[in-house]
Amino acid sequence: MPAYARREIVREGEVGAYHCVARCVRRAFLCGRDAVSGKSFEHRRGWIRRRLEELAGIFAADVCGYAVMGNHLHVIVRTRPDLAAGWSDEEVAARWWRLFPRRRDEHGAAAEPEPHELAMLTADPKAAAERRRRLASLSWLMRCLCEPIARRANKEDGCTGRFWEGRFKSQALLDEAALLACNIYVDLNPVRAAVAERPEQSEFTSAYDRILALRARRRAERTTRRRTRASRRWRNVPPAALRDEWLCPIAAEAPASPAGTVRVPKHQAAGCPEPEPRRASSESFLSMSLEDYLRLLDWTGRQVRGGRRGAIPPRLAPILDRVQVGREHWLASVENFGRWFHRAVGRPERLAEEATRSGKHWLQGLARCRLAFG
């Protein structure tokens, strides 16, 4: 259990960003290679990524970042109860069916619900309201992520009992400065652990998905420039270009598809059902471009990997100034994010506001927040 009650950290019914960490029991291997037995569990990384991508299209929550490590995982989530409040009862029922289907097809996926099955889910207003609340709940999202992975891993290992260390740990990210530092920290986890040398080699992280998608989109744009104007449509897009469409965008982008829905070829669009959303919303969470974020990530990763403590380059300084992050302690705050900060992270004034809201005089980590974010 965490040091604090979940209700003291997570603001139920309010939009908020949180850094969540789930660890395997006894720090056992989740996805790595067991040095003693030589058995590899790397395929489980795919389980977690696919499940997280599926949940991003069901819950009223934006997945801002993630990293799947050998014995733990990181997820950065922005809860969006405001979106769930605007859903109709029918949409809530359809999303709940996708989450807990009562029938499955031959592939094990949720079968298409019949009208009477959805009607049963909307018949009780009290139960429907509870489902709406749960679809915007951080605890329910993490439960629906961790529980199926534990069941599947236990089945594969031929054992029973706990797979996760306990309930996930969470930190409230109170402002954009905390969100930026936490995202860089999470995306650089494989680099810090010496699993990869650069972010573009760090598979099963949000940075890896964004980099692959950006490269694929740029290749597609170069290709379309050579074609006629009539073919310059985002219809036939390479799959890699859509790899990050389930993630919350770094910055506001030109509208590509509503709420990250899957684009389909033009000849398949006619007569096909509306594609399911891949993410809760297309609202960005940082006031910088994806390119600026990746440049800052790359430079920070090089310093962390090489053990250097160089000065912030002039081209990157405006990025940190824009979100009010201290340049002098940027590398230290990213590298020690998990040790420096506790239940809440943000600028000192935001931490003071959080303490007042929680009925406390102060929160642990105030000195480090003052050092990192001024």
Side-chain angles (χ1 to χ4, degrees), residues 77-211:
V77 178
R78 181 174 61 186
T79 55
R80 297 298 305 273
D82 56 324
L83 296 178
W87 293 341
S88 65
D89 290 346
E90 291 73 20
E91 184 171 1
V92 170
R95 289 173 180 265
W96 192 260
W97 177 275
R98 289 170 57 195
L99 194 60
F100 298 108
R102 298 185 180 182
R103 290 186 297 106
R104 295 182 180 273
D105 59 21
E106 63 273 15
H107 305 293
E112 191 67 25
E114 298 292 339
H116 72 274
E117 291 172 322
L118 292 181
M120 290 176 60
L121 294 175
T122 59
D124 184 351
K126 187 175 180 180
E130 177 62 17
R131 295 187 190 104
R132 187 188 303 274
R133 185 194 67 80
R134 291 178 178 182
L135 287 173
S137 167
L138 179 67
S139 294
W140 271 83
L141 187 148
M142 291 301 294
R143 170 187 173 176
C144 293
L145 171 63
C146 294
E147 185 178 313
I149 301 301
R151 292 180 183 275
R152 193 170 178 181
N154 281 351
K155 182 178 180 180
E156 183 181 62
D157 294 339
C159 66
T160 58
R162 284 187 176 271
F163 180 75
W164 300 101
E165 194 174 59
R167 292 198 69 193
F168 66 97
K169 297 180 180 179
S170 59
Q171 292 174 306
L173 306 176
L174 304 178
D175 51 35
E176 189 179 6
L179 263 170
L180 175 61
C182 188
N183 266 270
I184 296 286
Y185 165 75
V186 168
D187 280 336
L188 288 181
N189 252 255
V191 176
R192 290 175 55 251
V195 175
E197 292 188 0
R198 296 186 297 276
E200 58 267 31
Q201 298 174 341
S202 305
E203 290 191 67
F204 301 102
T205 64
S206 49
Y208 182 82
D209 288 350
R210 296 186 197 277
I211 292 170

Side-chain angles (χ1 to χ4, degrees), residues 176-374:
E176 189 179 6
L179 263 170
L180 175 61
C182 188
N183 266 270
I184 296 286
Y185 165 75
V186 168
D187 280 336
L188 288 181
N189 252 255
V191 176
R192 290 175 55 251
V195 175
E197 292 188 0
R198 296 186 297 276
E200 58 267 31
Q201 298 174 341
S202 305
E203 290 191 67
F204 301 102
T205 64
S206 49
Y208 182 82
D209 288 350
R210 296 186 197 277
I211 292 170
L212 256 61
L214 180 63
R215 288 176 174 175
R217 286 194 291 268
R218 286 176 173 173
R219 285 194 298 268
E221 287 171 4
R222 287 195 296 267
T223 301
T224 55
R225 290 194 191 103
R226 305 189 190 102
R227 297 176 180 173
T228 62
R229 185 171 183 177
S231 64
R232 292 179 189 171
R233 298 179 180 176
W234 281 95
R235 288 292 184 179
N236 297 303
V237 182
L242 307 177
R243 186 180 177 92
D244 67 339
E245 281 216 336
W246 63 280
L247 293 168
C248 182
I250 294 285
E253 302 169 351
S257 57
T261 52
V262 181
R263 301 184 185 95
V264 295
K266 187 177 180 180
H267 67 276
Q268 295 179 6
C272 289
E274 192 71 20
E276 293 176 344
R278 296 187 66 189
R279 62 189 179 206
S281 75
S282 295
E283 184 178 333
S284 61
F285 67 97
L286 291 176
S287 59
M288 65 182 66
S289 67
L290 174 58
E291 290 78 3
D292 282 347
Y293 175 82
L294 294 178
R295 277 194 288 269
L296 179 62
L297 177 72
D298 180 68
W299 180 83
T300 306
R302 290 175 188 274
Q303 305 303 304
V304 170
R305 186 73 176 91
R308 300 188 293 271
R309 289 295 180 271
I312 300 291
R315 69 181 187 281
L316 299 179
I319 302 175
L320 297 179
D321 293 343
R322 197 180 309 147
V323 295
Q324 302 180 32
V325 174
R327 303 184 199 176
E328 298 81 5
H329 304 285
W330 166 251
L331 289 174
S333 62
V334 168
E335 195 167 6
N336 300 293
F337 194 93
R339 293 190 293 269
W340 277 17
F341 308 114
H342 302 280
R343 59 176 285 180
V345 189
R347 291 192 291 273
E349 58 270 21
R350 294 303 308 276
L351 216 62
E353 293 172 6
E354 182 67 12
T356 301
R357 188 192 69 83
S358 304
K360 300 183 181 297
H361 295 292
W362 62 281
L363 294 180
Q364 189 177 6
L366 177 60
R368 295 296 190 183
C369 287
R370 186 177 290 115
L371 191 69
F373 309 120

